[in-house]
PDB file of all heavy atoms in Angstrom:
ATOM      1  N   VAL A1213       5.935 -64.114 269.894  1.00  0.00           N
ATOM      2  CA  VAL A1213       6.379 -65.090 268.917  1.00  0.00           C
ATOM      3  C   VAL A1213       5.253 -66.282 268.672  1.00  0.00           C
ATOM      4  O   VAL A1213       5.025 -66.634 267.508  1.00  0.00           O
ATOM      5  CB  VAL A1213       7.720 -65.828 269.310  1.00  0.00           C
ATOM      6  CG1 VAL A1213       7.913 -67.023 268.499  1.00  0.00           C
ATOM      7  CG2 VAL A1213       8.830 -64.798 269.151  1.00  0.00           C
ATOM      8  N   GLN A1214       4.690 -66.738 269.661  1.00  0.00           N
ATOM      9  CA  GLN A1214       3.886 -67.901 269.590  1.00  0.00           C
ATOM     10  C   GLN A1214       2.532 -67.612 268.891  1.00  0.00           C
ATOM     11  O   GLN A1214       1.989 -68.265 268.157  1.00  0.00           O
ATOM     12  CB  GLN A1214       3.540 -68.450 270.955  1.00  0.00           C
ATOM     13  CG  GLN A1214       4.747 -69.144 271.609  1.00  0.00           C
ATOM     14  CD  GLN A1214       4.297 -69.846 272.981  1.00  0.00           C
ATOM     15  OE1 GLN A1214       3.355 -69.488 273.628  1.00  0.00           O
ATOM     16  NE2 GLN A1214       5.232 -70.746 273.294  1.00  0.00           N
ATOM     17  N   GLU A1215       2.079 -66.327 269.047  1.00  0.00           N
ATOM     18  CA  GLU A1215       0.974 -65.755 268.211  1.00  0.00           C
ATOM     19  C   GLU A1215       1.208 -65.771 266.801  1.00  0.00           C
ATOM     20  O   GLU A1215       0.361 -66.243 265.901  1.00  0.00           O
ATOM     21  CB  GLU A1215       0.518 -64.459 268.731  1.00  0.00           C
ATOM     22  CG  GLU A1215      -0.277 -64.421 269.961  1.00  0.00           C
ATOM     23  CD  GLU A1215      -0.823 -62.955 270.218  1.00  0.00           C
ATOM     24  OE1 GLU A1215      -0.890 -62.129 269.356  1.00  0.00           O
ATOM     25  OE2 GLU A1215      -1.246 -62.727 271.443  1.00  0.00           O
ATOM     26  N   ILE A1216       2.379 -65.252 266.388  1.00  0.00           N
ATOM     27  CA  ILE A1216       2.750 -65.165 264.981  1.00  0.00           C
ATOM     28  C   ILE A1216       2.968 -66.622 264.449  1.00  0.00           C
ATOM     29  O   ILE A1216       2.372 -66.790 263.306  1.00  0.00           O
ATOM     30  CB  ILE A1216       3.999 -64.397 264.761  1.00  0.00           C
ATOM     31  CG1 ILE A1216       3.891 -62.869 265.235  1.00  0.00           C
ATOM     32  CG2 ILE A1216       4.583 -64.511 263.390  1.00  0.00           C
ATOM     33  CD1 ILE A1216       3.018 -62.099 264.325  1.00  0.00           C
ATOM     34  N   SER A1217       3.557 -67.511 265.196  1.00  0.00           N
ATOM     35  CA  SER A1217       3.677 -68.851 264.660  1.00  0.00           C
ATOM     36  C   SER A1217       2.458 -69.502 264.272  1.00  0.00           C
ATOM     37  O   SER A1217       2.153 -70.150 263.359  1.00  0.00           O
ATOM     38  CB  SER A1217       4.393 -69.681 265.674  1.00  0.00           C
ATOM     39  OG  SER A1217       5.718 -69.140 265.915  1.00  0.00           O
ATOM     40  N   ALA A1218       1.343 -69.298 265.201  1.00  0.00           N
ATOM     41  CA  ALA A1218       0.079 -69.859 265.003  1.00  0.00           C
ATOM     42  C   ALA A1218      -0.559 -69.283 263.758  1.00  0.00           C
ATOM     43  O   ALA A1218      -1.403 -70.026 263.039  1.00  0.00           O
ATOM     44  CB  ALA A1218      -0.796 -69.761 266.307  1.00  0.00           C
ATOM     45  N   LEU A1219      -0.428 -67.963 263.629  1.00  0.00           N
ATOM     46  CA  LEU A1219      -1.135 -67.175 262.561  1.00  0.00           C
ATOM     47  C   LEU A1219      -0.559 -67.635 261.111  1.00  0.00           C
ATOM     48  O   LEU A1219      -1.363 -67.479 260.155  1.00  0.00           O
ATOM     49  CB  LEU A1219      -1.078 -65.763 262.828  1.00  0.00           C
ATOM     50  CG  LEU A1219      -2.005 -65.277 263.894  1.00  0.00           C
ATOM     51  CD1 LEU A1219      -1.697 -63.806 264.361  1.00  0.00           C
ATOM     52  CD2 LEU A1219      -3.541 -65.293 263.508  1.00  0.00           C
ATOM     53  N   ILE A1220       0.697 -67.944 261.141  1.00  0.00           N
ATOM     54  CA  ILE A1220       1.293 -68.036 259.766  1.00  0.00           C
ATOM     55  C   ILE A1220       1.501 -69.614 259.422  1.00  0.00           C
ATOM     56  O   ILE A1220       2.115 -69.783 258.372  1.00  0.00           O
ATOM     57  CB  ILE A1220       2.558 -67.222 259.528  1.00  0.00           C
ATOM     58  CG1 ILE A1220       3.605 -67.699 260.555  1.00  0.00           C
ATOM     59  CG2 ILE A1220       2.223 -65.790 259.649  1.00  0.00           C
ATOM     60  CD1 ILE A1220       5.073 -66.997 260.272  1.00  0.00           C
ATOM     61  N   ALA A1221       1.230 -70.491 260.373  1.00  0.00           N
ATOM     62  CA  ALA A1221       1.417 -71.904 260.174  1.00  0.00           C
ATOM     63  C   ALA A1221       0.808 -72.336 258.822  1.00  0.00           C
ATOM     64  O   ALA A1221      -0.233 -71.848 258.499  1.00  0.00           O
ATOM     65  CB  ALA A1221       0.923 -72.710 261.303  1.00  0.00           C
ATOM     66  N   PRO A1222       1.486 -73.263 258.115  1.00  0.00           N
ATOM     67  CA  PRO A1222       2.667 -74.057 258.467  1.00  0.00           C
ATOM     68  C   PRO A1222       3.977 -73.306 258.178  1.00  0.00           C
ATOM     69  O   PRO A1222       5.045 -74.019 258.201  1.00  0.00           O
ATOM     70  CB  PRO A1222       2.509 -75.257 257.610  1.00  0.00           C
ATOM     71  CG  PRO A1222       1.768 -74.776 256.375  1.00  0.00           C
ATOM     72  CD  PRO A1222       0.871 -73.630 256.783  1.00  0.00           C
ATOM     73  N   ALA A1223       4.016 -72.056 257.612  1.00  0.00           N
ATOM     74  CA  ALA A1223       5.330 -71.449 257.345  1.00  0.00           C
ATOM     75  C   ALA A1223       6.073 -71.232 258.697  1.00  0.00           C
ATOM     76  O   ALA A1223       5.501 -71.100 259.770  1.00  0.00           O
ATOM     77  CB  ALA A1223       5.056 -70.089 256.774  1.00  0.00           C
ATOM     78  N   VAL A1224       7.435 -71.412 258.585  1.00  0.00           N
ATOM     79  CA  VAL A1224       8.264 -71.343 259.895  1.00  0.00           C
ATOM     80  C   VAL A1224       9.427 -70.411 259.562  1.00  0.00           C
ATOM     81  O   VAL A1224      10.635 -70.875 259.715  1.00  0.00           O
ATOM     82  CB  VAL A1224       8.636 -72.684 260.236  1.00  0.00           C
ATOM     83  CG1 VAL A1224       7.592 -73.454 261.049  1.00  0.00           C
ATOM     84  CG2 VAL A1224       9.303 -73.456 259.086  1.00  0.00           C
ATOM     85  N   PRO A1225       9.275 -69.178 259.210  1.00  0.00           N
ATOM     86  CA  PRO A1225      10.432 -68.191 259.070  1.00  0.00           C
ATOM     87  C   PRO A1225      10.871 -67.815 260.414  1.00  0.00           C
ATOM     88  O   PRO A1225      10.135 -68.033 261.457  1.00  0.00           O
ATOM     89  CB  PRO A1225       9.840 -67.067 258.410  1.00  0.00           C
ATOM     90  CG  PRO A1225       8.300 -67.030 258.854  1.00  0.00           C
ATOM     91  CD  PRO A1225       8.037 -68.513 258.911  1.00  0.00           C
ATOM     92  N   PRO A1226      12.057 -67.339 260.595  1.00  0.00           N
ATOM     93  CA  PRO A1226      12.638 -66.741 261.815  1.00  0.00           C
ATOM     94  C   PRO A1226      11.640 -65.720 262.287  1.00  0.00           C
ATOM     95  O   PRO A1226      11.000 -64.957 261.459  1.00  0.00           O
ATOM     96  CB  PRO A1226      13.942 -66.218 261.518  1.00  0.00           C
ATOM     97  CG  PRO A1226      14.414 -66.993 260.363  1.00  0.00           C
ATOM     98  CD  PRO A1226      13.164 -67.244 259.559  1.00  0.00           C
ATOM     99  N   ILE A1227      11.358 -65.587 263.651  1.00  0.00           N
ATOM    100  CA  ILE A1227      10.360 -64.562 264.095  1.00  0.00           C
ATOM    101  C   ILE A1227      11.040 -63.775 265.351  1.00  0.00           C
ATOM    102  O   ILE A1227      11.526 -64.483 266.227  1.00  0.00           O
ATOM    103  CB  ILE A1227       9.156 -65.238 264.669  1.00  0.00           C
ATOM    104  CG1 ILE A1227       8.418 -65.950 263.451  1.00  0.00           C
ATOM    105  CG2 ILE A1227       8.228 -64.180 265.216  1.00  0.00           C
ATOM    106  CD1 ILE A1227       7.217 -66.737 263.889  1.00  0.00           C
ATOM    107  N   ALA A1228      11.029 -62.503 265.273  1.00  0.00           N
ATOM    108  CA  ALA A1228      11.350 -61.706 266.392  1.00  0.00           C
ATOM    109  C   ALA A1228      10.003 -61.094 266.956  1.00  0.00           C
ATOM    110  O   ALA A1228       9.513 -60.208 266.190  1.00  0.00           O
ATOM    111  CB  ALA A1228      12.414 -60.581 266.124  1.00  0.00           C
ATOM    112  N   GLY A1229       9.600 -61.441 268.185  1.00  0.00           N
ATOM    113  CA  GLY A1229       8.319 -60.945 268.587  1.00  0.00           C
ATOM    114  C   GLY A1229       8.599 -59.923 269.792  1.00  0.00           C
ATOM    115  O   GLY A1229       9.676 -59.776 270.244  1.00  0.00           O
ATOM    116  N   SER A1230       7.413 -59.406 270.298  1.00  0.00           N
ATOM    117  CA  SER A1230       7.321 -58.483 271.373  1.00  0.00           C
ATOM    118  C   SER A1230       8.386 -57.435 271.128  1.00  0.00           C
ATOM    119  O   SER A1230       9.162 -57.106 271.982  1.00  0.00           O
ATOM    120  CB  SER A1230       7.694 -59.153 272.690  1.00  0.00           C
ATOM    121  OG  SER A1230       6.716 -60.236 272.844  1.00  0.00           O
ATOM    122  N   HIS A1231       8.412 -56.846 269.967  1.00  0.00           N
ATOM    123  CA  HIS A1231       9.305 -55.729 269.511  1.00  0.00           C
ATOM    124  C   HIS A1231      10.689 -56.126 269.655  1.00  0.00           C
ATOM    125  O   HIS A1231      11.583 -55.270 269.970  1.00  0.00           O
ATOM    126  CB  HIS A1231       9.004 -54.501 270.311  1.00  0.00           C
ATOM    127  CG  HIS A1231       7.515 -53.962 270.005  1.00  0.00           C
ATOM    128  ND1 HIS A1231       7.362 -53.215 268.934  1.00  0.00           N
ATOM    129  CD2 HIS A1231       6.472 -54.157 270.789  1.00  0.00           C
ATOM    130  CE1 HIS A1231       6.009 -52.844 269.093  1.00  0.00           C
ATOM    131  NE2 HIS A1231       5.481 -53.443 270.179  1.00  0.00           N
ATOM    132  N   GLY A1232      11.134 -57.358 269.426  1.00  0.00           N
ATOM    133  CA  GLY A1232      12.572 -57.785 269.467  1.00  0.00           C
ATOM    134  C   GLY A1232      12.875 -58.383 270.774  1.00  0.00           C
ATOM    135  O   GLY A1232      14.047 -58.879 270.921  1.00  0.00           O
ATOM    136  N   LEU A1233      12.027 -58.248 271.814  1.00  0.00           N
ATOM    137  CA  LEU A1233      12.482 -58.866 273.111  1.00  0.00           C
ATOM    138  C   LEU A1233      12.455 -60.418 273.024  1.00  0.00           C
ATOM    139  O   LEU A1233      13.161 -61.059 273.838  1.00  0.00           O
ATOM    140  CB  LEU A1233      11.438 -58.590 274.225  1.00  0.00           C
ATOM    141  CG  LEU A1233      11.658 -56.987 274.676  1.00  0.00           C
ATOM    142  CD1 LEU A1233      10.476 -56.704 275.545  1.00  0.00           C
ATOM    143  CD2 LEU A1233      13.043 -56.849 275.445  1.00  0.00           C
ATOM    144  N   GLU A1234      11.697 -61.085 272.156  1.00  0.00           N
ATOM    145  CA  GLU A1234      11.649 -62.492 271.982  1.00  0.00           C
ATOM    146  C   GLU A1234      12.224 -62.790 270.631  1.00  0.00           C
ATOM    147  O   GLU A1234      11.937 -62.148 269.557  1.00  0.00           O
ATOM    148  CB  GLU A1234      10.288 -63.043 271.917  1.00  0.00           C
ATOM    149  CG  GLU A1234       9.411 -62.912 273.221  1.00  0.00           C
ATOM    150  CD  GLU A1234       7.999 -63.454 272.959  1.00  0.00           C
ATOM    151  OE1 GLU A1234       7.262 -62.808 272.377  1.00  0.00           O
ATOM    152  OE2 GLU A1234       7.741 -64.597 273.488  1.00  0.00           O
ATOM    153  N   VAL A1235      13.133 -63.861 270.547  1.00  0.00           N
ATOM    154  CA  VAL A1235      13.738 -64.227 269.233  1.00  0.00           C
ATOM    155  C   VAL A1235      13.611 -65.726 269.188  1.00  0.00           C
ATOM    156  O   VAL A1235      14.086 -66.413 270.044  1.00  0.00           O
ATOM    157  CB  VAL A1235      15.148 -63.712 269.049  1.00  0.00           C
ATOM    158  CG1 VAL A1235      15.678 -64.302 267.680  1.00  0.00           C
ATOM    159  CG2 VAL A1235      15.230 -62.251 269.101  1.00  0.00           C
ATOM    160  N   ALA A1236      12.888 -66.307 268.121  1.00  0.00           N
ATOM    161  CA  ALA A1236      12.808 -67.733 268.099  1.00  0.00           C
ATOM    162  C   ALA A1236      13.963 -68.227 267.147  1.00  0.00           C
ATOM    163  O   ALA A1236      14.239 -67.806 266.073  1.00  0.00           O
ATOM    164  CB  ALA A1236      11.349 -68.055 267.267  1.00  0.00           C
ATOM    165  N   ALA A1237      14.609 -69.229 267.776  1.00  0.00           N
ATOM    166  CA  ALA A1237      15.750 -69.987 266.940  1.00  0.00           C
ATOM    167  C   ALA A1237      15.151 -70.919 265.987  1.00  0.00           C
ATOM    168  O   ALA A1237      13.982 -71.345 266.051  1.00  0.00           O
ATOM    169  CB  ALA A1237      16.676 -70.585 267.966  1.00  0.00           C
ATOM    170  N   PRO A1238      16.042 -71.332 265.011  1.00  0.00           N
ATOM    171  CA  PRO A1238      15.497 -72.341 263.994  1.00  0.00           C
ATOM    172  C   PRO A1238      14.973 -73.551 264.585  1.00  0.00           C
ATOM    173  O   PRO A1238      14.121 -74.263 264.039  1.00  0.00           O
ATOM    174  CB  PRO A1238      16.800 -72.533 263.233  1.00  0.00           C
ATOM    175  CG  PRO A1238      17.587 -71.420 263.266  1.00  0.00           C
ATOM    176  CD  PRO A1238      17.318 -70.888 264.711  1.00  0.00           C
ATOM    177  N   ASP A1239      15.467 -74.070 265.767  1.00  0.00           N
ATOM    178  CA  ASP A1239      14.979 -75.265 266.533  1.00  0.00           C
ATOM    179  C   ASP A1239      13.739 -75.134 267.132  1.00  0.00           C
ATOM    180  O   ASP A1239      13.181 -75.931 267.938  1.00  0.00           O
ATOM    181  CB  ASP A1239      16.093 -75.817 267.332  1.00  0.00           C
ATOM    182  CG  ASP A1239      16.360 -74.907 268.602  1.00  0.00           C
ATOM    183  OD1 ASP A1239      15.782 -73.818 268.666  1.00  0.00           O
ATOM    184  OD2 ASP A1239      17.190 -75.237 269.342  1.00  0.00           O
ATOM    185  N   GLY A1240      13.165 -73.785 267.194  1.00  0.00           N
ATOM    186  CA  GLY A1240      11.956 -73.501 267.801  1.00  0.00           C
ATOM    187  C   GLY A1240      12.050 -73.015 269.209  1.00  0.00           C
ATOM    188  O   GLY A1240      11.176 -72.550 269.865  1.00  0.00           O
ATOM    189  N   SER A1241      13.249 -72.969 269.870  1.00  0.00           N
ATOM    190  CA  SER A1241      13.486 -72.434 271.089  1.00  0.00           C
ATOM    191  C   SER A1241      13.435 -70.960 271.005  1.00  0.00           C
ATOM    192  O   SER A1241      13.680 -70.241 270.139  1.00  0.00           O
ATOM    193  CB  SER A1241      14.829 -72.868 271.677  1.00  0.00           C
ATOM    194  OG  SER A1241      15.868 -72.353 270.894  1.00  0.00           O
ATOM    195  N   ILE A1242      12.895 -70.212 272.045  1.00  0.00           N
ATOM    196  CA  ILE A1242      12.725 -68.889 272.170  1.00  0.00           C
ATOM    197  C   ILE A1242      13.646 -68.258 273.266  1.00  0.00           C
ATOM    198  O   ILE A1242      13.560 -68.697 274.468  1.00  0.00           O
ATOM    199  CB  ILE A1242      11.144 -68.442 272.588  1.00  0.00           C
ATOM    200  CG1 ILE A1242      10.281 -69.075 271.412  1.00  0.00           C
ATOM    201  CG2 ILE A1242      11.045 -67.079 272.631  1.00  0.00           C
ATOM    202  CD1 ILE A1242       8.840 -68.959 271.697  1.00  0.00           C
ATOM    203  N   THR A1243      14.431 -67.256 272.884  1.00  0.00           N
ATOM    204  CA  THR A1243      15.272 -66.571 273.737  1.00  0.00           C
ATOM    205  C   THR A1243      14.426 -65.272 274.213  1.00  0.00           C
ATOM    206  O   THR A1243      14.060 -64.590 273.296  1.00  0.00           O
ATOM    207  CB  THR A1243      16.619 -66.073 273.146  1.00  0.00           C
ATOM    208  OG1 THR A1243      17.241 -67.333 272.663  1.00  0.00           O
ATOM    209  CG2 THR A1243      17.408 -65.430 274.195  1.00  0.00           C
ATOM    210  N   ALA A1244      14.372 -65.018 275.498  1.00  0.00           N
ATOM    211  CA  ALA A1244      13.486 -63.937 275.996  1.00  0.00           C
ATOM    212  C   ALA A1244      13.877 -63.673 277.452  1.00  0.00           C
ATOM    213  O   ALA A1244      14.375 -64.541 278.241  1.00  0.00           O
ATOM    214  CB  ALA A1244      11.996 -64.214 276.082  1.00  0.00           C
ATOM    215  N   PRO A1245      13.679 -62.441 277.900  1.00  0.00           N
ATOM    216  CA  PRO A1245      13.950 -62.223 279.281  1.00  0.00           C
ATOM    217  C   PRO A1245      12.842 -62.617 280.228  1.00  0.00           C
ATOM    218  O   PRO A1245      11.786 -63.047 279.787  1.00  0.00           O
ATOM    219  CB  PRO A1245      14.038 -60.669 279.272  1.00  0.00           C
ATOM    220  CG  PRO A1245      13.040 -60.237 278.255  1.00  0.00           C
ATOM    221  CD  PRO A1245      13.211 -61.289 277.161  1.00  0.00           C
ATOM    222  N   ASP A1246      13.137 -62.549 281.532  1.00  0.00           N
ATOM    223  CA  ASP A1246      11.957 -62.856 282.566  1.00  0.00           C
ATOM    224  C   ASP A1246      10.986 -61.547 282.472  1.00  0.00           C
ATOM    225  O   ASP A1246      11.447 -60.412 282.422  1.00  0.00           O
ATOM    226  CB  ASP A1246      12.538 -62.992 283.936  1.00  0.00           C
ATOM    227  CG  ASP A1246      13.419 -64.318 284.059  1.00  0.00           C
ATOM    228  OD1 ASP A1246      13.087 -65.270 283.251  1.00  0.00           O
ATOM    229  OD2 ASP A1246      14.334 -64.263 284.804  1.00  0.00           O
ATOM    230  N   ARG A1247       9.819 -61.931 282.749  1.00  0.00           N
ATOM    231  CA  ARG A1247       8.770 -60.874 282.744  1.00  0.00           C
ATOM    232  C   ARG A1247       8.989 -60.069 284.231  1.00  0.00           C
ATOM    233  O   ARG A1247       9.211 -60.679 285.166  1.00  0.00           O
ATOM    234  CB  ARG A1247       7.405 -61.480 282.770  1.00  0.00           C
ATOM    235  CG  ARG A1247       6.214 -60.347 282.816  1.00  0.00           C
ATOM    236  CD  ARG A1247       4.869 -61.076 282.679  1.00  0.00           C
ATOM    237  NE  ARG A1247       3.785 -60.230 283.003  1.00  0.00           N
ATOM    238  CZ  ARG A1247       3.065 -59.729 282.093  1.00  0.00           C
ATOM    239  NH1 ARG A1247       3.226 -60.045 280.870  1.00  0.00           N
ATOM    240  NH2 ARG A1247       1.973 -58.928 282.290  1.00  0.00           N
ATOM    241  N   SER A1248       8.864 -58.766 284.054  1.00  0.00           N
ATOM    242  CA  SER A1248       9.050 -57.907 285.204  1.00  0.00           C
ATOM    243  C   SER A1248       7.915 -57.813 286.002  1.00  0.00           C
ATOM    244  O   SER A1248       6.665 -57.799 285.499  1.00  0.00           O
ATOM    245  CB  SER A1248       9.588 -56.534 284.816  1.00  0.00           C
ATOM    246  OG  SER A1248       8.545 -55.701 284.254  1.00  0.00           O
ATOM    247  N   ALA A1249       8.012 -57.653 287.332  1.00  0.00           N
ATOM    248  CA  ALA A1249       6.728 -57.390 288.319  1.00  0.00           C
ATOM    249  C   ALA A1249       6.110 -56.044 288.017  1.00  0.00           C
ATOM    250  O   ALA A1249       4.875 -55.889 288.150  1.00  0.00           O
ATOM    251  CB  ALA A1249       7.237 -57.401 289.740  1.00  0.00           C
ATOM    252  N   ALA A1250       6.995 -55.104 287.535  1.00  0.00           N
ATOM    253  CA  ALA A1250       6.446 -53.803 287.178  1.00  0.00           C
ATOM    254  C   ALA A1250       5.384 -53.907 286.001  1.00  0.00           C
ATOM    255  O   ALA A1250       4.410 -53.068 286.056  1.00  0.00           O
ATOM    256  CB  ALA A1250       7.587 -52.824 286.752  1.00  0.00           C
ATOM    257  N   LEU A1251       5.582 -54.768 285.195  1.00  0.00           N
ATOM    258  CA  LEU A1251       4.629 -54.949 284.084  1.00  0.00           C
ATOM    259  C   LEU A1251       3.282 -55.453 284.528  1.00  0.00           C
ATOM    260  O   LEU A1251       2.291 -55.036 284.137  1.00  0.00           O
ATOM    261  CB  LEU A1251       5.169 -55.900 283.008  1.00  0.00           C
ATOM    262  CG  LEU A1251       4.588 -55.898 281.593  1.00  0.00           C
ATOM    263  CD1 LEU A1251       4.693 -54.472 280.964  1.00  0.00           C
ATOM    264  CD2 LEU A1251       5.359 -56.851 280.764  1.00  0.00           C
ATOM    265  N   ASP A1252       3.310 -56.469 285.501  1.00  0.00           N
ATOM    266  CA  ASP A1252       2.158 -56.870 286.176  1.00  0.00           C
ATOM    267  C   ASP A1252       1.343 -55.821 286.848  1.00  0.00           C
ATOM    268  O   ASP A1252       0.127 -55.740 286.790  1.00  0.00           O
ATOM    269  CB  ASP A1252       2.465 -58.027 287.035  1.00  0.00           C
ATOM    270  CG  ASP A1252       2.915 -59.255 286.238  1.00  0.00           C
ATOM    271  OD1 ASP A1252       2.404 -59.489 285.199  1.00  0.00           O
ATOM    272  OD2 ASP A1252       3.908 -60.022 286.881  1.00  0.00           O
ATOM    273  N   ALA A1253       2.155 -54.794 287.638  1.00  0.00           N
ATOM    274  CA  ALA A1253       1.442 -53.826 288.260  1.00  0.00           C
ATOM    275  C   ALA A1253       0.888 -52.854 287.218  1.00  0.00           C
ATOM    276  O   ALA A1253      -0.304 -52.412 287.570  1.00  0.00           O
ATOM    277  CB  ALA A1253       2.520 -53.020 289.180  1.00  0.00           C
ATOM    278  N   ALA A1254       1.414 -52.560 286.219  1.00  0.00           N
ATOM    279  CA  ALA A1254       0.853 -51.635 285.223  1.00  0.00           C
ATOM    280  C   ALA A1254      -0.315 -52.357 284.491  1.00  0.00           C
ATOM    281  O   ALA A1254      -1.352 -51.659 284.191  1.00  0.00           O
ATOM    282  CB  ALA A1254       2.021 -51.312 284.140  1.00  0.00           C
ATOM    283  N   LEU A1255      -0.174 -53.642 284.213  1.00  0.00           N
ATOM    284  CA  LEU A1255      -1.411 -54.353 283.770  1.00  0.00           C
ATOM    285  C   LEU A1255      -2.616 -54.240 284.486  1.00  0.00           C
ATOM    286  O   LEU A1255      -3.741 -53.954 284.116  1.00  0.00           O
ATOM    287  CB  LEU A1255      -1.043 -55.831 283.530  1.00  0.00           C
ATOM    288  CG  LEU A1255      -2.090 -56.722 283.067  1.00  0.00           C
ATOM    289  CD1 LEU A1255      -2.734 -56.348 281.713  1.00  0.00           C
ATOM    290  CD2 LEU A1255      -1.690 -58.184 283.165  1.00  0.00           C
ATOM    291  N   ALA A1256      -2.444 -54.377 285.957  1.00  0.00           N
ATOM    292  CA  ALA A1256      -3.649 -54.276 286.820  1.00  0.00           C
ATOM    293  C   ALA A1256      -4.266 -52.886 286.642  1.00  0.00           C
ATOM    294  O   ALA A1256      -5.552 -52.851 286.717  1.00  0.00           O
ATOM    295  CB  ALA A1256      -3.193 -54.594 288.197  1.00  0.00           C
TER     296      ALA A1256
END
């Protein structure tokens, strides 16, 4: 979400990022899960 927000500023449409795992509310708050340890292991 934050990447998209920066790229399209100053436009502020609703954004669902990370294939829908993140959703930005109109007030700018972002609903998202906690990052999994498995993802960090795969990244390494």
Side-chain angles (χ1 to χ4, degrees):
V1213 165
Q1214 292 183 340
E1215 278 188 19
I1216 294 292
S1217 296
L1219 287 166
I1220 64 174
V1224 286
I1227 301 170
S1230 300
H1231 299 278
L1233 284 170
E1234 299 178 280
V1235 179
D1239 63 3
S1241 62
I1242 299 174
T1243 301
D1246 293 329
R1247 181 181 172 103
S1248 71
L1251 198 61
D1252 290 327
L1255 172 64

